[in-house]
Amino acid sequence: MGSKEVNNKRESMVRFRIIRNCMFLSGLSVFAQLYLFQPMLSELCHSFDITPAESSLAVSASTVGMAVGLLFLAFKADGISREKLMGVSLILSSVLTIASAFIDSYLFLLLFNFVKGIVLAGVSAVALAYLSEEIDSSKIGLAISLYLSGNTLGGMSGRVTATLLSGYGGWQLATLFIGGVSLVLGAIFCWKIPAGRNFSASVVSFKEKIHQMRSFLTQTTFISMYVIAALSMGIFVSVYNYLSFLLESPIFGLPHHLVAMIFMMYVAGIIGSVIAGVLSDRLGPEILLQGALLLMGVGMSLLLVMKLWAIVVGLGVLTFAFFSTHTLASRIVSMNAQHLKSSATSIYWLFYYVGSSLIGSLTGIVLVNNGWFSLMEVLLGLLFGALIVSSLFILKYRLHEKSKVYSHHRYGDDGVRSSN
């Protein structure tokens, strides 16, 4: 191997590490800001004299804004530089988070959170597309898993930090701190992120874009992953939304500060993302995906056992399996989207957040009216639906592969019919 080849290989490795680290930091920032107010809802109730239901809008405003931003960027993202869009989103969202610490009107706080969600969509809309364009296919699974691990760690650390700081100095201090840290992370990202080498802006008409997006919703591969994303995220959010009610009930009687530590279980999600990413570079992600969904079922079954050890283990297994599912499904989408990656991944995230919002809210009605066991029965039913979708996807995939093998055997590589 010549010195030029050695230098090129070394440069490629350095570039991979920089991209990997920058995307990890972006995930930290996005999800620390997106779910910032979730552990501080009681603080908002006291500060603004509102009900718990009204306080939950502080979180919903951000996630609804994210969904709106993703829908808009599904039309525009393929015409904008990936790294520039992500950099601007990280800086602007941090400024909005810092500014929100000084707001004394709850209505304006909701408005700021809504706009912040729209801005943060600039990262989620193109992050997977950027990785799949700039990272070698042999390492793409690891790169995506590390990015999603950053998402997970950001969501966990943001919640834990907000809980601790708000207890010490109120929700304003926590908001100011997370906004400041996010601004630093955004600055590092803008400084270090390499310019895309394999991206070419494509500007298409609104009508053509609708046609392109409709194509994703008619292809089995994409619609399968979108449905799985919506169902699995809805299941996951429902468990984390309402498990605290069970743990604080007379059945377990755990104090609030211990119940709040359930967010630390996100560490299992980080491990799941990394393991799924590494394995998907070696094995078929479609088979691993079905295994991850089955593992979610194991974790959910343990949540039906009214023993604290079973609840803890079940939550860990569920978290590990969900983030594995998310890593694998998002990889399948980004690797099959070809030249419209940001549009395909934007739709993926849109389904992801719609599933979170709708299922996460509606299952609360089941809990209130029928209790924990009925809630888990509904969630297991949704998981069964995801498994059916996954099975149909695998069946179609295998038939497609057999068709390719048959065509190759019959006609050869040049399309000429074999004499055999």
Side-chain angles (χ1 to χ4, degrees):
M1 183 181 293
S3 58
K4 185 176 181 180
E5 292 176 330
V6 171
N7 289 335
N8 288 339
K9 186 175 181 180
R10 185 181 296 115
E11 180 187 351
S12 177
M13 291 176 63
V14 170
R15 190 169 188 272
F16 168 75
R17 285 196 296 268
I18 293 173
I19 291 175
R20 176 196 65 191
N21 294 340
C22 284
M23 297 308 296
F24 179 80
L25 293 180
S26 74
L28 282 176
S29 176
V30 169
F31 284 84
Q33 294 184 79
L34 188 65
Y35 293 104
L36 165 62
F37 289 101
Q38 190 174 51
M40 302 190 295
L41 299 184
S42 60
E43 289 278 345
L44 296 181
C45 288
H46 294 303
S47 183
F48 294 104
D49 191 24
I50 56 177
T51 66
E54 291 171 329
S55 70
S56 68
L57 295 176
V59 179
S60 298
S62 296
T63 54
V64 169
M66 174 73 86
V68 171
L70 288 169
L71 183 60
F72 172 77
L73 288 169
F75 291 88
K76 298 293 184 181
D78 284 315
I80 307 172
S81 167
R82 312 285 200 209
E83 67 277 2
K84 290 180 180 178
L85 176 59
M86 290 188 286
V88 170
S89 297
L90 291 173
I91 296 297
L92 184 54
S93 63
S94 302
V95 172
L96 288 168
T97 298
I98 292 171
S100 65
F102 300 97
I103 292 175
D104 58 6
S105 166
Y106 189 58
L107 182 60
F108 277 103
L109 180 64
L110 295 181
L111 180 61
F112 267 60
N113 284 356
F114 176 73
V115 175
K116 182 176 68 177
I118 293 175
V119 172
L120 286 172
V123 180
S124 296
V126 299
L128 295 178
Y130 176 83
L131 286 173
S132 59
E133 288 167 353
E134 304 302 324
I135 299 298
D136 184 83
S137 60
S138 64
K139 297 178 180 178
I140 186 64
L142 174 61
I144 289 177
S145 67
L146 289 173
Y147 165 67
L148 297 178
S149 296
N151 294 353
T152 308
L153 185 60
M156 181 187 75
S157 59
R159 289 173 172 96
V160 173
T161 301
T163 301
L164 297 175
L165 289 179
S166 64
Y168 175 75
W171 68 268
Q172 296 93 337
L173 176 63
T175 302
L176 186 62
F177 178 82
I178 291 179
V181 171
S182 296
L183 185 60
V184 172
L185 295 179
I188 295 172
F189 179 92
C190 293
W191 176 35
K192 290 289 189 179
I193 189 71
R197 294 176 177 175
N198 302 306
F199 168 73
S200 57
S202 57
V203 180
V204 297
S205 66
F206 179 82
K207 183 177 181 180
E208 185 178 353
K209 196 68 175 180
I210 287 289
H211 175 73
Q212 292 172 348
M213 293 178 66
R214 187 183 299 160
S215 71
F216 290 127
L217 298 175
T218 56
Q219 294 181 53
T220 304
T221 296
F222 295 105
I223 193 62
S224 297
M225 296 306 105
Y226 296 156
V227 171
I228 288 171
L231 292 176
S232 61
M233 179 58 169
I235 292 167
F236 178 74
V237 166
S238 295
V239 170
Y240 270 89
N241 276 354
Y242 307 119
L243 182 61
S244 60
F245 292 95
L246 176 67
L247 296 178
E248 291 175 355
S249 71
I251 299 175
F252 295 102
L254 296 183
H256 178 72
H257 67 275
L258 287 181
V259 173
M261 298 306 290
I262 64 174
F263 291 117
M264 296 298 293
M265 198 61 74
Y266 271 47
V267 172
I270 297 173
I271 297 171
S273 290
V274 173
I275 291 178
V278 172
L279 289 178
S280 67
D281 285 332
R282 305 172 185 174
L283 306 172
E286 63 284 341
I287 302 298
L288 293 172
L289 176 63
Q290 191 163 49
L293 289 170
L294 289 170
L295 193 58
M296 282 185 68
V298 173
M300 293 166 67
S301 299
L302 286 171
L303 295 178
L304 290 168
V305 180
M306 291 295 103
K307 300 289 184 181
L308 187 57
W309 69 265
I311 297 292
V312 172
V313 173
L315 187 63
V317 172
L318 171 66
T319 305
F320 176 95
F322 165 72
F323 281 101
S324 298
T325 299
H326 179 35
T327 299
L328 295 164
S330 57
R331 171 174 183 161
I332 290 171
V333 169
S334 64
M335 294 302 292
N336 283 278
Q338 297 180 349
H339 302 299
L340 300 169
K341 295 181 185 298
S342 62
S343 295
T345 54
S346 289
I347 299 173
Y348 175 87
W349 286 109
L350 181 61
F351 271 75
Y352 183 86
Y353 286 111
V354 167
S356 170
S357 301
L358 289 181
I359 298 174
S361 298
L362 294 176
T363 51
I365 300 173
V366 178
L367 177 71
V368 171
N369 293 333
N370 303 102
W372 178 257
F373 288 99
S374 293
L375 170 65
M376 294 308 301
E377 288 172 0
V378 169
L379 296 181
L380 283 167
L382 294 176
L383 179 65
F384 183 68
L387 279 166
I388 291 176
V389 172
S390 174
S391 299
L392 292 174
F393 167 70
I394 290 175
L395 177 62
K396 183 178 183 300
Y397 175 82
R398 287 178 172 172
L399 289 174
H400 177 67
E401 290 299 305
K402 287 182 178 179
S403 175
K404 284 168 59 178
V405 171
Y406 173 76
S407 178
H408 172 74
H409 174 73
R410 188 175 183 185
Y411 294 102
D413 290 330
D414 55 2
V416 178
R417 186 184 179 100
S418 170
S419 59
N420 294 331

